[in-house]
Amino acid sequence: MAMLKKVMKEYGGFQEAVDLVGEESLEKFCDRVYAGFCSEYKDAGYIKNVQWLLRHFYASKKMTLSSLFFTQTEELNGKNLKNLTFYTCYYSLFNALLSNLILTPYIDIEKIRKISHSQVFKDIENYFVRFGVYDRKLIELLNELRLTRELYSYHLPLGGSIVREGKSLSADSLFNRLEKIITPILQISNLISYMSHYAWQKKVGKGIDEYDSYQHEVDSLFFSFIESRDHLGMHCVIDDDDYARQGYVLRKWTTPFPISWFITEKMCEDLECGWEQDDSGNGFDISNVAGFLSTAIDAP
């Protein structure tokens, strides 16, 4: 049975991804990625286990961030906040595509923490467009969102629009294009996480716990995913909830796991608790993120 059919039979969902890519092309992609994971997990040991648990968690963070920016775009669009609308549109798409790449088995772990804005173009082209998952229209959308984000961040178009390009680069037009593509992209990240899960079950079949033998290496890996340092070397920022939740993942999920088993219940729950509204009830409703993600990747 093709891996796409297997996951859809057992768990349902992924229809928007199928509609975008086409069932035959998506089947081929899933089988190829599954084979890539089987090769990655051949003779896997404890460090490989930890690396991919952290990559799954990291991808779920990027998916949540993409959804945060997307739901904030819905809030901003039409309110004459174009500079912010272009910003949130771009980072919604950028982070969604990053979640694809973080889970790609052909990209080394050292590279996925340092993927630049320009590198996303190259890697999405190489690992997704080339194999028929996405087409050039997605690259063009990313390109145009990056352009408008930079224009409104650095140049302040006084006319409020890109006149020579007409309506194609308007906030409404770009948001409408993003709205059609964002759910399938998030579903594909979730789908890749299932391929990782199935491949681990086939090649290894269980979690591996050898922390005492690899404590220094694992601790370095752990902190590399949650710490942020400033340019002058004066600060190292580690969010307490990131520390706690990532630690929970390594204790609870002993093998690479499907992201939809975790993201809306745990990741978004933490986000809602940490970003709660004030008593007035005004402003952006952070629960919109979980609502959007649930509809996008959880619903059968």
Side-chain angles (χ1 to χ4, degrees):
M1 179 185 293
M3 296 309 297
L4 176 63
K5 285 187 169 64
K6 176 179 172 65
V7 71
M8 291 184 73
K9 180 180 179 181
E10 293 182 357
Y11 299 103
F14 305 103
Q15 191 57 53
E16 286 84 351
V18 172
D19 292 342
L20 174 72
V21 181
E23 187 169 350
E24 183 177 352
S25 294
L26 194 56
E27 280 184 357
K28 290 179 180 178
F29 173 76
C30 288
D31 289 346
R32 180 177 177 275
V33 168
Y34 174 71
F37 276 118
C38 286
S39 177
E40 172 75 0
Y41 295 153
K42 183 180 179 181
D43 302 321
Y46 176 62
I47 295 300
K48 185 74 70 175
N49 196 167
V50 173
Q51 287 177 346
W52 277 98
L53 282 168
L54 291 173
R55 286 177 72 152
H56 279 234
F57 178 75
Y58 192 41
S60 72
K61 289 283 292 292
K62 297 301 182 183
M63 292 168 69
T64 304
L65 189 54
S66 171
S67 301
L68 174 64
F69 279 123
F70 180 79
T71 51
Q72 288 179 335
T73 305
E74 291 181 308
E75 182 101 353
L76 291 168
N77 198 28
K79 293 185 177 179
N80 207 24
L81 295 167
K82 294 180 183 181
N83 57 321
L84 301 180
T85 302
F86 287 123
Y87 180 93
T88 53
C89 272
Y90 173 72
Y91 280 104
S92 177
L93 182 57
F94 176 77
N95 281 288
L97 294 174
L98 268 184
S99 72
N100 285 178
L101 297 174
I102 289 163
L103 292 169
T104 298
Y106 322 107
I107 301 178
D108 184 79
I109 189 171
E110 295 303 322
K111 183 179 177 182
I112 61 101
R113 291 194 297 264
K114 303 173 183 178
I115 298 176
S116 67
H117 292 259
S118 297
Q119 191 64 42
V120 168
F121 283 88
K122 297 175 184 177
D123 286 345
I124 289 296
E125 180 85 48
N126 189 37
Y127 297 112
F128 292 86
V129 175
R130 190 159 64 96
F131 293 98
V133 179
Y134 303 134
D135 61 25
R136 286 291 304 175
K137 291 180 180 178
L138 175 64
I139 299 295
E140 291 169 5
L141 176 59
L142 182 64
N143 177 62
E144 290 166 0
L145 285 174
R146 182 176 177 177
L147 168 65
T148 52
R149 189 265 299 180
E150 290 175 348
L151 281 169
Y152 280 84
S153 295
Y154 306 126
H155 297 287
L156 183 61
L158 294 178
S161 63
I162 300 90
V163 176
R164 291 185 181 181
E165 294 295 337
K167 295 181 179 179
S168 64
L169 296 182
S170 71
D172 285 341
S173 174
L174 290 170
F175 177 69
N176 288 339
R177 290 160 63 193
L178 174 66
E179 192 172 28
K180 293 174 182 176
I181 197 75
I182 196 69
T183 290
I185 294 172
L186 295 174
Q187 286 185 359
I188 286 169
S189 288
N190 192 32
L191 191 55
I192 297 171
S193 74
Y194 272 93
M195 298 303 104
S196 172
H197 170 71
Y198 283 137
W200 186 274
Q201 294 305 310
K202 179 179 180 179
K203 290 296 181 179
V204 185
K206 61 180 180 179
I208 304 170
D209 185 2
E210 299 176 0
Y211 176 72
D212 291 342
S213 300
Y214 297 95
Q215 181 176 350
H216 177 73
E217 188 173 352
V218 170
D219 288 351
S220 295
L221 267 172
F222 183 95
F223 285 104
S224 72
F225 277 90
I226 60 171
E227 66 181 17
S228 298
R229 298 181 181 273
D230 66 302
H231 177 69
L232 297 178
M234 298 172 60
H235 304 282
C236 177
V237 178
I238 299 175
D239 182 86
D240 288 342
D241 286 353
D242 279 350
Y243 179 92
R245 181 56 67 193
Q246 188 170 266
Y248 166 85
V249 165
L250 292 183
R251 294 191 305 272
K252 173 69 175 178
W253 303 99
T254 57
T255 66
F257 54 91
I259 282 175
S260 56
W261 293 5
F262 162 85
I263 191 167
T264 52
E265 180 182 350
K266 298 299 182 182
M267 186 73 71
C268 292
E269 183 180 281
D270 289 348
L271 184 69
E272 289 180 24
C273 291
W275 292 42
E276 61 184 348
Q277 291 179 236
D278 59 33
D279 293 337
S280 70
N282 296 323
F284 176 70
D285 185 353
I286 196 65
S287 68
N288 289 342
V289 179
F292 172 73
L293 267 173
S294 180
T295 300
I297 68 171
D298 272 355

